[in-house]
Amino acid sequence: MSSEDGPGLRTTVFLKGCPLHCRWCHNPESISPKGEVLWHAARCIACGGCGGAGPNRTFEAAEACPTGALEAKGTPWDIHKLCRELLKDRAYWGAQGGVTLSGGEPLMQEASLELLRLLKEQGAHTAIDTCGLTSEARLRSALKHCGMVLYDLKLAYSARHMEWTGAGNEEILRNLQIAANWAQSGAGRLWVRTPVIPGATDSGENIRGIGDILRPYGNAIERWELCAFNNLCGSKYRSLGRAWEFDGVPLMDRARMDALLDIAQSTGACADIRWTGAAKE
């Protein structure tokens, strides 16, 4: 029942593992490719069923937890079984919906290519939500079985990209060219999404720089979304026992989002530029 991972109602599969380490990451449980266990303190009844005085963060303990205080993230799936499970939702998708592979970075797992192929064979609309940091070969393989790409473009300048995500953006920009050529050929749809993060990506210079990057691709890019910072994921970090430097940072101001939208639209990057998410009045 996702309405934010592409058009229509969609079923989203979150795959673990990401080559970036964005300091604002909203899905911290998906950065590591390994399984992890979250502990939700408010659900814990201290029954001792997990075998520990405090949270015993093992998959076995999570299975034994009667209240769901321990929650396992990172469940192994057989690809064919996963495909069948996803297709059970077909009746809800309607004409526009389908399946989106997200993460983390879904293309880090090679099996995602086979999953896309199986879903397409069954007539499901498929989309990938990618950060763009993957090999050219893997991206091209995925595009053969995709109806849509949601492409994250966070920062226009490589030094800033390195500072905030742990990697430069050169390969990301090269892969954007591949995705744009694919969309230009009519093979699928391309949306670009920029997270607007206070103090990191929310400068007019960055938004203008991204617009300048996108403008040469013309109508290959159907939509560019400025995604307003979401501070609800702080509980995930606490459940993982990690600190988050954006904990307590408020939502973006609506007026600021409107101003950034004006800057984005002034670049003429594409016909449909909008901001999404929640903001303060």
Side-chain angles (χ1 to χ4, degrees):
M1 292 296 291
S2 172
S3 60
E4 299 178 350
D5 295 313
L9 289 177
R10 310 190 70 82
T11 302
T12 302
V13 183
F14 291 91
L15 292 97
K16 281 179 64 65
C18 187
L20 297 179
H21 288 76
C22 302
R23 287 157 55 181
W24 61 79
C25 182
H26 285 37
N27 292 323
E29 74 281 10
S30 67
I31 297 175
S32 171
K34 299 179 180 179
E36 296 172 282
V37 174
L38 281 67
W39 180 55
H40 306 285
R43 301 179 191 171
C44 183
I45 58 175
C47 67
C50 67
N56 181 11
R57 297 176 185 271
T58 65
F59 272 52
E60 294 76 15
E63 290 179 0
C65 182
T67 64
L70 292 167
E71 181 184 9
K73 294 291 186 180
T75 304
W77 275 86
D78 172 84
I79 290 298
H80 291 82
K81 290 182 179 179
L82 179 54
C83 181
R84 289 195 294 271
E85 183 70 20
L86 295 170
L87 291 172
K88 292 177 182 178
D89 292 346
R90 191 196 295 269
Y92 298 99
W93 297 334
Q96 289 291 317
V99 177
T100 299
L101 303 192
S102 186
E105 171 50 55
L107 298 184
M108 274 194 73
Q109 295 198 33
E110 188 174 359
S112 63
L113 304 178
E114 177 67 3
L115 179 57
L116 289 169
R117 185 188 68 80
L118 291 171
L119 288 165
K120 185 177 181 181
E121 283 183 353
Q122 295 298 317
H125 181 272
T126 54
I128 56 170
D129 181 1
T130 179
C131 72
L133 188 55
T134 187
S135 70
E136 176 182 336
R138 189 161 292 184
L139 176 60
R140 290 188 184 277
S141 294
L143 293 177
K144 293 177 183 177
H145 309 298
C146 273
M148 183 167 205
V149 173
L150 307 172
Y151 204 98
D152 292 351
L153 194 53
K154 302 171 174 66
L155 288 148
Y157 306 104
S158 191
R160 291 279 289 172
H161 203 281
M162 175 69 76
E163 176 187 355
W164 284 101
T165 74
N169 68 358
E170 291 83 0
E171 189 170 9
I172 293 169
L173 295 182
R174 286 194 295 270
N175 283 333
L176 176 61
Q177 174 77 69
I178 293 168
N181 291 344
W182 166 82
Q184 187 73 60
S185 73
R189 303 164 67 183
L190 175 60
W191 290 3
V192 173
R193 303 201 292 189
T194 299
V196 180
I197 310 299
T201 70
D202 65 334
S203 70
E205 178 188 25
N206 182 54
I207 299 303
R208 189 174 294 107
I210 293 176
D212 290 342
I213 290 170
L214 300 181
R215 187 172 55 251
Y217 298 126
N219 61 4
I221 298 172
E222 180 180 320
R223 178 186 297 182
W224 177 22
E225 292 184 3
L226 307 182
C227 306
F229 170 72
N230 180 343
N231 57 13
L232 296 178
C233 63
S235 61
K236 291 185 178 182
Y237 283 87
R238 290 188 287 275
S239 295
L240 287 165
R242 301 179 197 165
W244 185 41
E245 65 180 278
F246 287 89
D247 207 2
V249 174
L251 297 176
M252 296 290 297
D253 289 320
R254 179 174 292 273
R256 179 60 177 159
M257 290 301 302
D258 287 340
L260 293 174
L261 178 61
D262 288 343
I263 293 172
Q265 291 175 334
S266 73
T267 67
C270 68
D272 183 359
I273 305 175
R274 61 183 71 183
W275 71 262
T276 61
K280 295 186 298 181
E281 294 292 345

